[in-house]
Amino acid sequence: MFGFLAPGCAYAQGGGGPCTNCAFPLASTRGVMVTADDLVAQFETEVAAHDFVLEDIREVDLYNSGSFLNNDEIPPEARRRVLDRLGGLDPVECVLIESRPEYVTEASLGAARRALGPKRLEVGIGLESAADRIRDKLIHKGFTRADFENSLAVLARHGAVPLAYVLLKPLEVTEREAIEDSVETCRYVHAKAREAGIESKVALQPVFVQPETALAHAHASGRYRPPWLWSVVEVVRRAAPLGPIHVGTKDDFPPPVAVRANCGRCDSAFEAAIDAFNASADIRTLENLCCECKVRWASELVQRDSQRSLNPSHVGR
Ligand SMILES: [Zn+2]
């Protein structure tokens, strides 16, 4: 895993963003351009700090708090040099990059493929939700399902694999709606990838609250609670039969002020079960989880729904 200090997400700093959950600007130069030489030097410093063979590093994840395929964030020359280096580095078999869908183009993917060679290339795309209302109106993501589907077609043509990020419980979404939306989004991702003739993976990201975000303001005023671990487990149980799914981290930079949680007493058992699921992809690892807080979770699902149905301003999808 390698994080570039780079300009960061152009969308977050432009007119449309940032997304309501996003603290990416805090992990970037906030739009100040970084030269290709500088970016390559950052990367080479990290490469030199590892013995890839001894440590048996088979996957390298490249993060730049934005879109690796956007020329205004990562110059094409830097992309070419970094991917070319990884293409020749044993025992690396797989490289993950991240991008908004609009930068997944014939030109950018073709160049990436030529530089990396035949190694596996995964492209993380923050779809977040298949529902337009949630993705666009509530998260402010600023792209359409058609944009995402077009990117799948480009990835298919270049033999790359999408890793779709699915956000569990964005701002203004109730616990129950969040569960349903994440399961439906997994269903959508796998179906569209099948149509495009490529494999697919989902990274389920239970929301955590980072400072200086719309989410942080809502959390501070008591209007938002991150998802229950019960909900995370519920989504994985229902979505795992639909296709590969992995549960994302509960930590990032800057450090979150609130993360997915149950009652506090059972949280470590749940996190251990989630780790076991991530390692094995076996949903039996999520069986036998019990705690008396399940009643509170279940009543929240019902209660919030009934409140919602009584309040017309919260209805509609
Ligand atoms: Zn509990």
Side-chain angles (χ1 to χ4, degrees):
M1 175 173 152
F2 173 70
F4 291 98
L5 181 60
C9 182
Y11 176 78
Q13 292 155 69
C19 301
T20 49
N21 58 297
C22 180
F24 271 179
L26 298 176
S28 73
T29 64
R30 292 187 186 247
V32 176
M33 204 56 208
V34 180
T35 66
D37 283 343
D38 187 337
L39 292 165
V40 172
Q42 291 179 32
F43 174 72
E44 287 296 342
T45 302
E46 183 68 15
V47 169
H50 294 278
D51 185 324
F52 278 66
V53 174
L54 208 63
E55 296 172 48
D56 196 26
I57 298 174
R58 296 185 189 191
E59 176 170 343
V60 173
D61 300 347
L62 300 173
Y63 299 114
N64 63 298
S65 301
S67 294
F68 189 74
L69 297 175
N70 177 5
N71 295 348
D72 292 333
E73 297 174 45
I74 304 288
E77 187 200 338
R79 285 205 295 272
R80 183 182 56 73
R81 287 165 64 187
V82 166
L83 293 175
D84 181 67
R85 180 85 158 95
L86 289 167
L89 202 58
D90 286 333
V92 175
E93 295 168 351
C94 173
V95 175
L96 170 74
I97 59 177
E98 296 183 322
S99 182
R100 286 175 59 85
E102 61 264 38
Y103 305 117
V104 181
T105 63
E106 289 297 327
S108 68
L109 245 286
R113 178 47 83 199
R114 280 192 298 280
L116 184 63
K119 289 185 177 180
R120 183 181 172 91
L121 177 62
E122 292 185 3
V123 181
I125 299 176
L127 173 67
E128 321 301 8
S129 169
D132 294 335
R133 184 184 73 89
I134 293 178
R135 187 188 55 261
D136 211 40
K137 299 286 185 293
L138 299 183
I139 307 178
H140 300 164
K141 203 71 197 186
F143 65 77
T144 64
R145 281 161 58 128
D147 294 330
F148 177 72
E149 291 164 25
N150 288 339
S151 72
L152 294 185
V154 176
L155 295 177
R157 283 196 288 278
H158 294 278
V161 177
L163 173 67
Y165 297 115
V166 174
L167 203 58
L168 176 62
K169 203 178 175 190
L171 188 58
E172 311 285 358
V173 176
T174 66
E175 196 82 19
R176 176 178 291 281
E177 186 181 20
I179 293 168
E180 298 303 327
D181 180 61
S182 286
V183 173
E184 286 312 306
T185 301
C186 292
R187 193 187 312 281
Y188 165 80
V189 166
H190 295 306
K192 289 299 167 187
R194 261 197 309 279
E195 279 175 28
I198 45 176
E199 62 176 289
S200 53
K201 289 166 71 176
V202 163
L204 179 72
Q205 185 56 64
V207 166
F208 46 74
V209 181
Q210 288 179 282
E212 296 188 34
T213 58
L215 205 58
H217 294 296
H219 177 258
S221 61
R223 289 189 295 113
Y224 181 82
R225 178 205 192 279
W228 287 75
L229 284 159
W230 286 110
S231 300
V232 178
V233 165
E234 175 75 8
V235 171
V236 174
R237 276 194 190 127
R238 288 171 56 186
L242 306 171
I245 182 169
H246 178 274
V247 181
T249 172
K250 64 176 174 133
D251 212 346
D252 204 347
F253 180 83
V257 297
V259 302
R260 62 204 193 200
N262 278 353
C263 66
R265 288 191 301 276
C266 63
D267 293 43
S268 57
F270 273 69
E271 290 292 351
I274 289 168
D275 287 346
F277 171 79
N278 279 343
S280 67
D282 184 349
I283 51 173
R284 286 173 301 184
T285 54
L286 302 175
E287 288 170 359
N288 304 322
L289 287 166
C290 60
C291 181
E292 51 200 38
C293 70
K294 187 173 189 177
V295 181
R296 275 168 54 204
W297 170 68
S299 71
E300 178 154 340
L301 296 183
V302 178
Q303 192 184 12
R304 292 293 172 87
D305 259 16
S306 60
Q307 280 174 358
R308 194 162 168 266
S309 64
L310 292 171
N311 185 344
S313 70
H314 287 172
V315 178
R317 180 173 180 172

